[in-house]
Amino acid sequence: MVVISSRFANSLTVLPDSSMMINLNSNSTASSSLPYVGSRIRVNFKPVTVRTLSSDTRSGCGNVRCEARSESDSQSVSNSSSISALELLKTFAAERYTKEKSGIMVVGLSFHTAPVEIREKLSIPEADLPQAISELCALNHIEEAAVLSTCNRMEIYAVALSQHRGVKEITEWMSKVSGVPVSDIRRHQFMLYEKEATKHLFEVSAGLDSLVLGEGQILSQVKHVVKVGQGVPGFDRKISGLFKHAITVGKRARTETNISSGSVSVSSAVVELAQMKIPENSYASVRVLVVGAGKMGKLVIKHLIAKGCKNMVVVNRSEDRVYAIREEFKDVEIVYQPFSELMSCASNADVVFTCTASETLLFSKDQVQTLSKAPTQRLFIDISVPRNVESCISDLETARVYNVDDLKEVVEANKKDRLRKAEEAQLIISDEVREFESWKDSLETVPTIKKLRAYAERIRASEMEKCLAKMGGDISKKHQKAIHELSKGIVNKLLHGPMQHLRCDETEGRSLNEIIENMHTLNRIFGLEMEISILEEKIRSKMEKSQV
């Protein structure tokens, strides 16, 4: 089997006789060793099912069994030449890994790309996040990972050893844990790589990608990713550094642009949405039920009070949280009811806010039909993901359901002011992206620094051992120590210059490109390159572990 990389062929043509004509690049860096450079190779093939180590669909030569011959030579090339050409082509394809470097990517779905019906199936409970990281990092081409799962998005950030294989494995994992077919996920997912992935997370943390521009809750959720990831294998240097930097960006954007002032959170937006729908746009005369007293439930209660709601019923599994909220807002009548009284409380409510972590429906169409009739159409405001209220309840004349995807009506208010602030925040994000990318790229020199030091130390130790052997066994420990320190001092002084040129030091005025170039130069001069690339070694190790 031969896989031909598009780096070495500038055109592929399928001929009428079921063969393929390949024009080889004459300007390829590796083409000087190919016997047929500048000519054309005819490849006869049969579509068969074969085992493929790396399939490159972009090259146009997927699963094919091939034999090569030069069109300029009408007779068959010798078996030895043919084998030589095939081996070279295999080598070129194998270089795909050795030339590829690991990179950051994000694969996900958000309210921009997917409806809540899809997002709720993909959401991951908080308690399962460490396990999700571990499972993702067990995939063959995923080295590090983090999961950002909220009511508006489900995004997986990863350091992938191979870009397209990483996307494939993450998508299949998402399908496996959610039960959503891969085809449906692909229809709604988005993918960003390297700098664009970094920029996206910074925008998310700053509230620029939120349904409610500038809302503050998302920054808390990004912070929570870091908190959950601490100590979990796979939440390592690059991904951890990315999320910690995103927290800095989120804080800076809000401090320097005041993008949060005048804007609203998701919790305040749903309270405003309900206010727009109730009689006289006032909470003074409506009966309010809040289901759930967790973080989101408390925020909803807080914004209801700010909008003039003076009494409400709160249904929760335990009374402790409701009691704490009641102590905080003593001027408001907050009545606690257990979950066993949920339907009874709903019958006596005009507006029902649901904000729980329940993975099952709390209100179905059949249940709502049995509720006593409200003076006006009963409103269900559902901000839970997965949803707590069945959407088809809106088919009833007596009730209407709104969820997080319906908040756009509220968000339009004061849009111009928030967009101006968002433009200011984008300038901050651009600066921070450059800073993070420089830090990330500088990590590439770390293996070279370690290898160069190890290389020098091996030589020093070997030469010192030879020196001591020649001097005989009666040399004192004091003299041995002096010789040892002398050899270490010589090595350190010789390495000082090369090491300085591998480090990012703003005072030296070296660009990142210059540092990377210095790294490659030192690798060549001292022969520090490994026979097998670090990426290929990691992939091989992962695949071996997965087969155990």
Side-chain angles (χ1 to χ4, degrees):
M1 181 197 73
V2 178
V3 178
I4 301 170
S5 173
S6 57
R7 295 198 303 270
F8 305 106
N10 54 33
S11 71
L12 303 172
T13 307
V14 179
L15 303 178
D17 62 351
S18 295
S19 65
M20 184 178 288
M21 190 64 66
I22 305 166
N23 292 333
L24 296 175
N25 292 332
S26 58
N27 60 351
S28 170
T29 56
S31 63
S32 58
S33 59
L34 187 65
Y36 301 120
V37 169
S39 65
R40 308 171 78 196
I41 286 183
R42 182 190 297 273
V43 180
N44 297 327
F45 68 97
K46 299 175 183 177
V48 293
T49 303
V50 296
R51 181 173 175 269
T52 312
L53 292 179
S54 67
S55 172
D56 190 347
T57 55
R58 292 172 297 176
S59 68
C61 186
N63 292 341
V64 298
R65 195 180 299 279
C66 313
E67 65 182 52
R69 67 175 184 229
S70 172
E71 188 186 43
S72 60
D73 185 359
S74 58
Q75 296 182 355
S76 298
V77 296
S78 67
N79 288 338
S80 61
S81 297
S82 180
I83 292 172
S84 175
L86 290 175
E87 290 302 319
L88 283 168
L89 288 172
K90 289 178 182 179
T91 301
F92 298 153
E95 285 187 0
R96 184 178 176 125
Y97 273 141
T98 61
K99 301 269 185 185
E100 193 170 4
K101 69 174 183 177
S102 62
I104 290 175
M105 65 166 60
V106 56
V107 181
L109 302 89
S110 73
F111 69 96
H112 294 299
T113 66
V116 68
E117 292 87 355
I118 297 292
R119 300 199 309 272
E120 67 184 358
K121 293 176 183 176
L122 290 160
S123 67
I124 297 178
E126 181 180 321
D128 295 342
L129 290 177
Q131 181 184 344
I133 294 173
S134 298
E135 289 180 3
L136 285 163
C137 291
L139 301 174
N140 287 337
H141 295 86
I142 303 302
E143 192 173 17
E144 300 181 31
V147 179
L148 180 59
S149 182
T150 75
C151 60
N152 282 328
R153 65 188 71 249
M154 196 298 197
E155 299 175 354
I156 294 173
Y157 293 81
V159 174
L161 302 175
S162 170
Q163 183 173 294
H164 66 285
R165 287 174 176 79
V167 171
K168 181 176 182 292
E169 289 175 356
I170 289 173
T171 304
E172 289 173 350
W173 178 84
M174 292 171 73
S175 175
K176 179 182 174 183
V177 299
S178 67
V180 178
V182 169
S183 58
D184 288 348
I185 293 175
R186 285 178 176 162
R187 190 177 304 121
H188 297 289
Q189 76 181 169
F190 67 90
M191 295 155 284
L192 296 169
Y193 309 103
E194 296 293 5
K195 188 182 292 185
E196 290 302 315
T198 300
K199 182 172 182 283
H200 175 71
L201 180 59
F202 289 0
E203 289 175 341
V204 168
S205 184
L208 301 191
D209 194 64
S210 297
L211 177 61
V212 181
L213 193 64
E215 58 100 355
Q217 190 177 3
I218 187 63
L219 179 56
S220 298
Q221 290 163 332
V222 171
K223 290 179 181 178
H224 191 67
V225 171
V226 175
K227 182 180 178 181
V228 169
Q230 295 300 321
V232 178
F235 189 76
D236 293 328
R237 190 171 190 180
K238 287 184 180 178
I239 289 295
S240 173
L242 174 66
F243 271 80
K244 287 176 181 177
H245 205 119
I247 293 170
T248 300
V249 174
K251 291 178 179 177
R252 185 183 166 195
R254 287 171 174 80
T255 301
E256 296 183 21
T257 68
N258 289 321
I259 194 169
S260 294
S261 64
S263 69
V264 287
S265 64
V266 171
S267 51
S268 65
V270 295
V271 171
E272 282 191 37
L273 175 64
Q275 188 175 24
M276 293 165 61
K277 308 298 180 183
I278 59 180
E280 300 179 6
N281 303 127
S282 171
Y283 282 104
S285 59
V286 296
R287 300 169 295 173
V288 175
L289 169 64
V290 179
V291 184
K295 291 179 182 178
M296 187 64 79
K298 182 178 178 180
L299 288 171
V300 168
I301 292 169
K302 177 181 176 181
H303 291 296
L304 280 168
I305 294 170
K307 291 294 182 181
C309 184
K310 295 298 183 181
N311 52 73
M312 66 190 78
V313 176
V314 179
V315 170
N316 197 54
R317 298 194 186 281
S318 65
E319 189 176 3
D320 293 347
R321 287 184 174 179
V322 180
Y323 177 80
I325 294 171
R326 195 160 43 202
E327 286 297 301
E328 188 175 344
F329 303 102
K330 293 183 178 181
D331 295 337
V332 180
E333 183 183 356
I334 301 175
V335 178
Y336 164 75
Q337 290 291 346
F339 252 90
S340 58
E341 299 297 320
L342 179 62
M343 290 303 156
S344 173
C345 292
S347 285
N348 296 314
D350 302 314
V351 183
V352 180
F353 293 91
T354 59
C355 33
T356 78
S358 173
E359 296 184 17
T360 58
L361 286 174
L362 299 182
F363 294 100
S364 67
K365 183 177 180 181
D366 291 340
Q367 289 172 319
V368 172
Q369 278 182 311
T370 64
L371 300 180
S372 60
K373 189 174 181 180
T376 59
Q377 192 178 50
R378 182 176 281 112
L379 300 181
F380 288 87
I381 313 295
D382 185 14
I383 55 175
S384 304
V385 176
R387 289 171 296 171
N388 290 169
V389 183
E390 196 170 21
S391 58
C392 61
I393 288 174
S394 290
D395 296 337
L396 301 173
E397 292 183 2
T398 56
R400 179 65 193 273
V401 179
Y402 296 93
N403 58 47
V404 289
D405 284 356
D406 297 310
L407 298 183
K408 294 175 184 177
E409 186 177 351
V410 178
V411 175
E412 291 300 316
N414 301 319
K415 190 173 182 180
K416 286 184 179 180
D417 182 52
R418 291 199 294 272
L419 285 176
R420 179 182 58 78
K421 293 174 181 175
E423 289 174 1
E424 295 174 12
Q426 282 290 1
L427 297 176
I428 294 172
I429 288 172
S430 296
D431 289 340
E432 295 289 351
V433 167
R434 282 192 294 271
E435 183 177 328
F436 176 79
E437 289 296 310
S438 295
W439 171 81
K440 179 171 67 72
D441 289 341
S442 71
L443 297 179
E444 287 190 36
T445 66
V446 173
T448 297
I449 291 173
K450 290 180 178 179
K451 285 188 286 184
L452 183 56
R453 280 202 172 278
Y455 173 79
E457 176 58 24
R458 285 196 301 271
I459 294 175
R460 185 204 65 78
S462 175
E463 294 304 314
M464 180 178 167
E465 186 178 345
K466 291 177 185 178
C467 174
L468 293 176
K470 289 178 181 179
M471 296 176 70
D474 58 346
I475 184 170
S476 67
K477 289 185 177 181
K478 180 179 179 181
H479 288 155
Q480 285 185 32
K481 183 179 179 182
I483 295 170
H484 179 268
E485 290 178 352
L486 173 66
S487 65
K488 294 284 281 188
I490 292 172
V491 167
N492 287 337
K493 286 191 179 295
L494 286 173
L495 289 180
H496 178 73
M499 291 300 185
Q500 284 296 103
H501 283 76
L502 286 179
R503 291 192 172 98
C504 286
D505 189 346
E506 293 179 1
T507 61
E508 297 290 335
R510 280 186 294 274
S511 67
L512 181 62
N513 288 337
E514 185 181 350
I515 292 169
I516 299 299
E517 185 179 343
N518 293 339
M519 178 188 73
H520 292 311
T521 300
L522 286 171
N523 279 330
R524 288 194 302 271
I525 291 173
F526 292 100
L528 302 177
E529 295 286 2
M530 294 184 293
E531 292 182 7
I532 301 175
S533 72
I534 294 173
L535 289 181
E536 191 174 5
E537 193 175 59
K538 287 179 178 178
I539 293 166
R540 183 177 298 173
S541 173
K542 274 178 165 285
M543 294 183 75
E544 287 173 354
K545 287 179 182 178
S546 66
Q547 291 170 0
V548 173

